[in-house]
Amino acid sequence: MENKTVKNSESEVNRLVLPEDTNIFGALYGGRLVEWMDNIASITAFKHARKKVVTGSIDNLFFLSPINLGYIVTIHTFITYVTRSTMEVEIDVQTENVETGDKKVTTRAYFTYVATDENGRAVEIPGLLLQTPEEEKRFSEGQTRSKSRLDALKNMKETVLF
Ligand SMILES: CC(C)(COP(=O)(O)OP(=O)(O)OC[C@H]1O[C@@H](n2cnc3c(N)ncnc32)[C@H](O)[C@@H]1OP(=O)(O)O)[C@@H](O)C(=O)NCCC(=O)NCCS
C-alpha cells in the first residue's frame, strides 16, 4: 500500500450560520459545530483511507469564542498522525464577520477515525508521507496524543465494561 501525503486529503469548507443553526441568543449551537467538524474531518479520513471510516474519539474540545448568526465559519482539516488503521485529523475552525471581515480562531480539535471493513473490523490504511518539518512536528505531537488517548480508552473500557 502506497503512503499518501497530507495534501492528498486536506479539506476546507465554508458555512454561513443561518437561523436554524442558532440558539435563542443568536449564537451557533455547539453541537451543530461539532457535527460540521465531524463531517469535514471524515472527508479527510475517507480521502486518505479510501475505506469505510468511523469516528473513534474526539479529544478535549474548547470553544474559545461564540459564533453569531450571519458569520462565516471556515473549517480546515488535515491528517496529523496515522497508525495501522487510525487517522488523527486536526480541525481548525475560524469565524469571519461578514460586515467587517474580522477573523477569529474559535477552536482547534483532534478527531480520530478508524478504517474498517464491512464487518466493522479495523483494517490497514496507507502510511503518511511527511513532506515538511511542520508535518514531522505534528506527527510527533500526534504520537504523544495517541499514547494518552489509548491510555484513556483502556481506562474507559475497564471502567465501563468492568
Ligand atoms: C472504533 C472501532 C471500529 C474499534 O473497534 P475495536 O474492535 O475496538 O478495534 P481494535 O481494538 O481491534 O483496535 C483497532 C484500532 O483502532 C484503534 N481504536 C480502537 N478504538 C478506538 C477509539 N475509540 N478511538 C481511537 N482509536 C481506537 C486501536 O488503537 C487500533 O489502532 P491500530 O490498528 O492502528 O493499532 C469500534 O469500537 C467501533 O465501531 N466503535 C463505534 C464507532 C462509531 O460508531 N462512531 C460513531 C459515533 S457513535
Side-chain angles (χ1 to χ4, degrees):
M1 205 180 294
E2 254 183 54
N3 290 352
K4 290 190 179 170
T5 65
V6 174
K7 292 232 172 298
N8 282 149
S9 56
E10 194 170 10
S11 307
E12 187 170 292
V13 162
N14 291 309
R15 306 276 313 221
L16 184 65
V17 180
L18 298 174
E20 63 263 32
D21 302 319
T22 63
N23 61 24
I24 54 170
F25 307 109
L28 178 66
Y29 287 118
R32 186 64 51 88
L33 179 59
V34 174
E35 183 187 334
W36 292 349
M37 290 164 75
D38 191 26
N39 188 296
I40 317 307
S42 72
I43 292 173
T44 286
F46 278 126
K47 284 187 174 182
H48 184 83
R50 294 293 175 197
K51 300 231 160 60
K52 185 180 171 207
V53 300
V54 292
T55 315
S57 67
I58 294 178
D59 286 12
N60 289 342
L61 197 49
F62 300 100
F63 301 111
L64 305 179
S65 53
I67 304 176
N68 295 324
L69 177 66
Y71 273 51
I72 298 167
V73 179
T74 303
I75 302 173
H76 178 213
T77 65
F78 52 90
I79 296 196
T80 46
Y81 178 70
V82 300
T83 58
R84 192 190 80 88
S85 65
T86 75
M87 294 150 276
E88 182 193 71
V89 179
E90 178 172 321
I91 307 165
D92 292 322
V93 181
Q94 200 181 50
T95 58
E96 182 179 340
N97 180 322
V98 287
E99 288 171 292
T100 63
D102 286 346
K103 292 181 180 173
K104 231 181 204 177
V105 171
T106 292
T107 191
R108 167 173 293 172
Y110 298 93
F111 288 18
T112 304
Y113 294 86
V114 184
T116 70
D117 63 17
E118 58 287 355
N119 299 313
R121 272 191 299 266
V123 289
E124 194 177 348
I125 55 164
L128 197 59
L129 194 60
L130 302 171
Q131 295 182 303
T132 66
E134 183 62 24
E135 287 174 5
E136 283 170 13
K137 182 169 170 275
R138 288 188 187 129
F139 190 88
S140 150
E141 290 166 355
Q143 191 167 32
T144 306
R145 278 188 299 271
S146 172
K147 281 193 188 113
S148 36
R149 198 177 293 129
L150 290 178
D151 283 346
L153 176 63
K154 186 168 172 278
N155 189 34
M156 163 75 97
K157 280 185 174 172
E158 284 168 3
T159 313
V160 175
L161 305 175
F162 310 109

